[in-house]
Amino acid sequence: MTSSSSPSQDAQSFAQNHPEGLRADALMEEDVAWSHEIDGERDGDQYDRSDRAALRRVAGLSTELEDVTEVEYRQLRLERVVLVGVWTSGTAQDADNSLAELAALAETAGALVLDGVIQRRDKADPATYIGSGKARELLDIVLETGADTVICDGELSPGQLIHLEDVVKVKVIDRTALILDIFAQHAKSREGKAQVALAQMQYMLPRLRGWGQSLSRQMGGGKGGGLATRGPGETKIETDRRRIREKMAKMRREIAAMKTGREIKRQERRRNKVPSVAIAGYTNAGKSSLLNRLTGAGVLVENALFATLDPTVRRAETPSGRLYTLADTVGFVRHLPHHLVEAFRSTMEEVGDSDLILHVVDGAHPAPEEQLAAVREVIRDVGAVRVPEIVVINKADAADPLVLQRLLRVEKHSIAVSARTGAGIDELLALIDAELPRPSVEIEALVPYTEGRLVARAHSDGEVISEEHTPEGTLLKARVHEELAADLAPYVPASTVPSALA
């Protein structure tokens, strides 16, 4: 302990080289007086002991599954994290962008990113992901920063998770677990929560671990009990796996039932010949903002990854008066976990069943071409490659003009807009009107006033070219679908019967 007398030259030298040592000693004194030599060197705000010892609550990070209490589920409590990536292909800038996106994901989950490192390898190490030597270097970084979690930029096998944790001595999670945690926080609807729960169980099943009684075997059969057994029974962890599989089967049935309701709504829209437009794109590209701008839907808009997960379908109208539906879908991301693609397949089918895709890309992103490629990969997975696509370059007000010119030149069917300011929205609406499928039959009929419902159907389901009210009825010229054209056929003059009805 330092004395109150003047320090010697050796002590002064030590204080200059190790000021934190004297500060630590001073903090151990209950009634030490303030000293310029000691306290003047302190950096940052100083807090009372009770404030320093208080627990800091991190809200909104619970990912515990309900009704699955029989298994050990490793809840994510992300506070201070270190990011680790393996650079196997592409440029150094690509690797940096990937780790920057992982940092954004971690911050969305509520973590404080302390450091990020990248290891250059031909392929990820099958044992520790980054190699045993680099894993020991990672341990030094963890100890230096005081991190409690390591996040790897990739999907780790169960063996890689175990071996890397054994080296770094803190919790290790991968990109998939991080995205699943974000989805669990943001899912609000019953269907969204069920889909996330299914994806979490699919991910968790091969990664269950057993300690102590989890590896003990259940007692076998036998009428007398005791020693009257028929051999070793299943272990506790095997029982847990079986129960998770049963829970997954139940969840799949529930999602299938919800899918039936969604399919009924889609069939109703198809029966009424209502065109559908799906908004797809990278997460945080501005899909919800665009939906609000086009329809006034009032969907949550936040500058965060995967801020909205639940699909939203709204009714919209083209400048020419044609009705159509506009559906906002879940955002995509590079290396989207296949568990999520499978669990959200019923939601993503909105893209496959649509008549037109508005592919929203963030024009202010450092690598918008990578976003386009990642989204198109998922679109191929859900079988929507034949649906017409309009590339909507959003955030044009914040984008580099050279980047906008490059995207508009490369993407032939594209338009630049700003959902925040409204720039380019009128041109986008006109483009949607031109690209939506039009009724196949052009017809001219004199509809009696007693059949006004046919005129109303022509306005709602078709495209009215001209309309004139005469003493005999309504002289209607319109493009309609074949079913409505057949209903209007009795009122078509013989000289003007369309070829499709002849």
Side-chain angles (χ1 to χ4, degrees), residues 207-228:
R207 292 170 174 81
L208 286 180
R209 301 190 197 178
W211 291 278
Q213 294 185 356
S214 296
L215 298 178
S216 63
R217 295 191 179 275
Q218 308 297 314
M219 180 65 69
K223 296 182 179 179
L227 298 177

Side-chain angles (χ1 to χ4, degrees), residues 1 13 20 43 70 91 97 103 127 131 163 176 236 295 327-328 338 343 380 384 408 414 419 425 434 442 470 481:
M1 185 65 65
S13 176
E20 65 277 8
D43 54 346
E70 298 86 356
T91 64
N97 290 340
H163 293 149
T176 300
K236 178 67 165 56
T295 66
D328 184 17
H338 65 276
R380 284 194 299 269
L408 292 172
S414 59
I425 296 298
E442 184 173 333
T470 66
H481 298 286

Side-chain angles (χ1 to χ4, degrees), residues 43 47 92 104 115 133 142-143 161 173 244 275 288 290 298 363 396 410 438 481 488 490 492 501:
D43 54 346
Y47 300 96
D115 203 350
V142 169
L143 294 175
L161 281 172
I173 66 171
I244 286 183
S288 298
L290 184 63
V410 174
R438 296 183 175 275
H481 298 286
L488 289 171
V492 175
L501 300 177

Side-chain angles (χ1 to χ4, degrees), residues 368-380:
E369 291 86 357
E370 294 182 8
Q371 290 192 352
L372 289 168
V375 173
R376 283 168 177 161
E377 181 180 351
V378 180
I379 289 176
R380 284 194 299 269

Side-chain angles (χ1 to χ4, degrees), residues 84-86 117-121 123-139 150 152 160 164 168:
V84 181
V86 172
V117 293
I118 296 177
Q119 164 70 352
R120 184 72 170 96
R121 298 179 62 92
K123 60 180 180 180
D125 184 73
T128 59
Y129 182 65
I130 56 175
S132 57
K134 294 299 179 183
R136 286 190 291 271
E137 292 182 21
L138 180 61
L139 172 61
V150 171
C152 297
Q160 287 174 323
L164 190 56
V168 299

Side-chain angles (χ1 to χ4, degrees), residues 203-451:
Y203 174 82
M204 181 174 56
L205 184 60
R207 292 170 174 81
L208 286 180
R209 301 190 197 178
W211 291 278
Q213 294 185 356
S214 296
L215 298 178
S216 63
R217 295 191 179 275
Q218 308 297 314
M219 180 65 69
K223 296 182 179 179
L227 298 177
T229 62
R230 289 197 294 258
E234 63 182 353
T235 62
K236 178 67 165 56
I237 196 169
E238 289 171 345
T239 304
D240 293 340
R241 288 184 178 132
R242 175 169 51 80
R243 290 177 176 174
I244 286 183
R245 292 190 187 99
E246 293 172 353
K247 182 76 174 179
M248 288 169 59
K250 178 182 177 182
M251 200 70 68
R252 288 193 180 98
R253 290 193 296 268
E254 292 179 0
I255 293 175
M258 300 176 200
K259 177 183 176 181
T260 302
R262 188 180 295 276
E263 180 62 28
I264 290 174
K265 295 179 182 178
R266 281 200 291 259
Q267 289 178 356
E268 183 68 15
R269 292 197 293 266
R270 284 195 292 264
R271 186 179 67 83
N272 293 326
K273 306 297 182 183
V274 179
S276 62
V277 178
I279 302 178
Y282 214 76
T283 179
N284 206 30
K287 299 182 300 300
S288 298
S289 299
L290 184 63
L291 177 69
N292 291 342
R293 174 66 68 171
L294 294 176
T295 66
V299 177
L300 169 69
V301 174
E302 186 178 353
N303 185 22
L305 304 186
F306 301 113
T308 52
L309 293 181
D310 304 316
T312 303
V313 180
R314 290 292 183 270
R315 174 176 171 176
E317 187 174 333
T318 65
S320 64
R322 300 171 60 200
L323 296 178
Y324 66 97
T325 60
L326 197 61
D328 184 17
T329 60
V330 63
F332 303 147
V333 72
R334 277 181 297 186
H335 312 301
L336 190 68
H338 65 276
H339 310 292
L340 287 174
V341 176
E342 186 63 30
F344 279 78
R345 184 168 295 275
S346 61
T347 300
M348 294 178 181
E349 285 176 357
E350 292 284 354
V351 178
D353 291 340
S354 62
D355 298 299
L356 180 65
I357 296 176
L358 297 184
H359 186 166
V360 183
V361 60
D362 184 358
H365 191 270
E369 291 86 357
E370 294 182 8
Q371 290 192 352
L372 289 168
V375 173
R376 283 168 177 161
E377 181 180 351
V378 180
I379 289 176
R380 284 194 299 269
D381 291 341
V382 298
V385 291
R386 296 185 178 181
V387 182
E389 175 191 70
I390 297 177
V391 176
V392 181
I393 307 170
N394 194 22
K395 305 182 184 179
D397 55 321
D400 186 347
L402 296 178
V403 175
L404 288 180
Q405 293 177 11
R406 185 179 73 239
L407 290 174
L408 292 172
R409 183 176 63 253
V410 174
E411 298 294 337
K412 302 302 180 183
H413 207 49
S414 59
I415 184 173
V417 304
S418 173
R420 186 178 67 87
T421 64
I425 296 298
D426 293 338
E427 292 81 358
L428 176 60
L429 287 172
L431 189 57
I432 293 174
D433 196 359
E435 291 295 326
L436 282 177
R438 296 183 175 275
S440 56
V441 181
E442 184 173 333
I443 193 171
E444 183 176 351
L446 183 61
V447 184
Y449 289 119
T450 56
E451 298 292 335

